[in-house]
Amino acid sequence: MSHHPIFERFSRAETETTGLHVYDFLGGGTRVSYNRGWASHAHPAGKTVTSNLPPANEHYLDWISLLTAVSKAQGTFRMAEFGAGWAPWLARGALAARQKGMDSQLLAVEADPTHFAWAREHFEDNGIDPDAHNLIEGAVSDKPETLRFPVIADPDVDYGASLRVAATMADTIEVRGYTIDELLGRFDGPVDFLHIDIQGAEYDAVPPVMDLLCEKVRAIMIGTHINDEMHDAMAARFHDAGWKERLNLGRNRDNDTPWGQIRTNDGFLWFENGRAV
């Protein structure tokens, strides 16, 4: 496999294993309890490992967009992850920024209580103080109101819960909705990377704030859902606003890429801001 050249700008880290985690090439550890079936991949405690670069699956694309944003940041790396789960991309962004001698300002939004607790734990496991950043238990929405969110019975399996399906679910919880305007206002400077995976709510939350994104965000990745027409319409909004398309891959398809064939289940949109932010 021929890797994207962005990986050459970062070093593979040596990590002492705990027996509880799997590790990425930056040295970031993720508890195997966060995903059913990972336990067999944990190394025994007390070993020293240097992990390989990521394989060519759909998360390889997240790596490329994230590391590109880190490589272009200056001074402080600022990033938000909407629909954060255990906030894997924020932690990886912080570790990559640390390699470049930068501090980070991070913001996570996650509606499921278990996943939110895991995000705090994941930060701590990777030497990131959760209280020094904005970890928000709630949902990204177009309105700042109380919302219904599905109860997740198997949090180590289900990472696809959605505001859009809550009305059809027997068990729900109340969560606070946060607008993108409010969330971006918590940063003290331009956001280098905005990672959005909110299971269809992107079509409600993103279009009303396109002007704001142009003013405050340097790069954005959106995992798209529902159908191809909505994916294409979202891409068109960024084109119309002058953003530069870096990757645009549709839902549920095999894609021939320079790094091998990659299956995208969600759609993948990665744009960089065409304006100076």
Side-chain angles (χ1 to χ4, degrees):
M1 172 181 172
S2 177
H3 282 285
H4 189 286
I6 192 63
F7 289 97
E8 298 175 3
R9 301 186 185 184
F10 297 87
S11 300
R12 293 169 61 196
E14 285 191 350
T15 308
E16 184 173 341
T17 60
T18 64
L20 302 175
H21 298 78
V22 291
Y23 298 92
D24 60 50
F25 84 100
L26 295 174
T30 300
R31 291 186 181 239
V32 295
S33 57
Y34 296 168
N35 196 309
R36 194 169 301 175
W38 279 3
S40 62
H41 299 291
H43 293 279
K47 303 290 184 182
T48 299
V49 298
T50 304
S51 297
N52 293 326
L53 296 182
N57 56 31
E58 62 183 332
H59 297 306
Y60 191 83
L61 309 174
D62 295 273
W63 276 107
I64 294 170
S65 56
L66 170 66
L67 296 179
T68 299
V70 173
S71 71
K72 294 183 177 183
Q74 297 181 355
T76 298
F77 174 66
R78 299 179 181 88
M79 178 181 168
E81 187 173 4
F82 298 164
W86 70 83
W89 299 107
L90 286 177
R92 290 162 179 163
L95 294 174
R98 193 178 295 170
Q99 278 199 12
K100 299 301 181 184
M102 291 186 290
D103 292 328
S104 298
Q105 187 179 7
L106 310 174
L107 185 150
V109 184
E110 173 54 45
D112 175 68
T114 300
H115 292 163
F116 178 76
W118 288 353
R120 291 187 59 86
E121 181 178 64
H122 186 60
F123 269 37
E124 293 169 346
D125 283 355
N126 287 283
I128 306 165
D129 179 2
D131 294 324
H133 300 276
N134 279 289
L135 274 64
I136 299 169
E137 188 173 358
V140 179
S141 174
D142 59 331
K143 298 181 181 67
E145 60 188 8
T146 299
L147 304 166
R148 307 302 303 184
F149 192 79
V151 171
I152 298 178
D154 296 306
D156 60 340
V157 174
D158 186 358
Y159 286 93
S162 167
L163 291 172
R164 284 183 166 242
V165 302
T168 67
M169 305 295 288
D171 295 323
T172 61
I173 57 173
E174 286 189 351
V175 299
R176 182 185 164 188
Y178 292 84
T179 66
I180 294 177
D181 189 350
E182 177 183 0
L183 294 166
L184 295 186
R186 300 193 179 204
F187 287 94
D188 61 11
V191 176
D192 295 291
F193 190 51
L194 177 53
H195 187 287
I196 300 178
D197 188 3
I198 51 178
Q199 305 300 317
E202 62 270 16
Y203 302 114
D204 300 318
V206 172
V209 295
M210 282 302 303
D211 289 344
L212 180 71
L213 296 177
C214 291
E215 293 171 6
K216 293 191 173 183
V217 177
R218 290 174 169 157
I220 189 167
M221 172 269 159
I222 304 178
T224 61
H225 307 82
I226 302 179
N227 60 48
D228 291 339
E229 290 76 18
M230 297 178 80
H231 169 100
D232 293 340
M234 181 69 79
R237 288 182 179 275
F238 283 91
H239 284 295
D240 292 344
W243 290 61
K244 300 176 182 177
E245 181 181 291
R246 297 299 304 273
L247 276 176
N248 181 348
L249 302 175
R251 302 171 59 255
N252 300 321
R253 66 192 62 186
D254 296 315
N255 306 277
D256 291 324
T257 77
W259 320 290
Q261 189 175 83
I262 294 178
R263 173 78 180 175
T264 47
N265 296 310
D266 296 344
F268 189 93
L269 294 175
W270 171 28
F271 283 86
E272 291 183 323
N273 198 336
R275 306 180 189 181
V277 178

